[in-house]
Amino acid sequence: MLYRPQYARLQIGTLKGKEPQIKPLAADALSQVPYAEPSWLAPGFSSPYYNEGHRRFQRAMRELVNEVVLPDATACEDNGKRISQHVVDKLA
């Protein structure tokens, strides 16, 4: 993210020969960062209120955001324009 020109002022430096430790998550993967995900998504959590339908909905929404919203949002951030009508139609 900091490699974009508008964020160059935020770069401090890099370590030569080191691999980045933060890897992007797959659409169906859960973050291992504490409290980054809702507790009902955590493995082993049982609740009478949340079921497999909620988990399927969460996966579908994350996939939609990763495939439709994120690329357009990144492009809009770079060019300063509004989101495309295609994204609005998909979200509706």
Side-chain angles (χ1 to χ4, degrees):
M1 190 74 152
L2 291 178
Y3 297 117
R4 295 189 185 137
Q6 66 265 36
Y7 299 121
R9 62 183 171 74
L10 300 175
Q11 293 178 4
I12 295 173
T14 58
L15 298 175
K16 195 179 282 187
K18 292 289 185 179
E19 289 293 316
Q21 293 182 354
I22 300 173
K23 307 284 188 220
L25 290 175
D28 60 345
L30 294 176
S31 174
Q32 299 303 309
V33 176
Y35 306 109
E37 302 283 355
S39 59
W40 60 270
L41 285 174
F45 181 84
S46 62
S47 169
Y49 303 108
Y50 299 107
N51 56 33
E52 187 55 35
H54 292 93
R55 287 177 172 78
R56 283 194 311 270
F57 179 71
Q58 184 270 341
R59 284 191 295 268
M61 283 302 299
R62 186 167 288 179
E63 184 177 331
L64 175 75
V65 168
N66 285 342
E67 292 178 4
V68 176
V69 177
L70 188 60
D72 196 61
T74 304
C76 289
E77 189 174 307
D78 290 340
N79 64 24
K81 298 191 181 199
R82 295 181 59 151
I83 60 173
S84 66
Q85 188 61 40
H86 164 73
V87 174
V88 174
D89 293 341
K90 281 286 205 177
L91 292 174

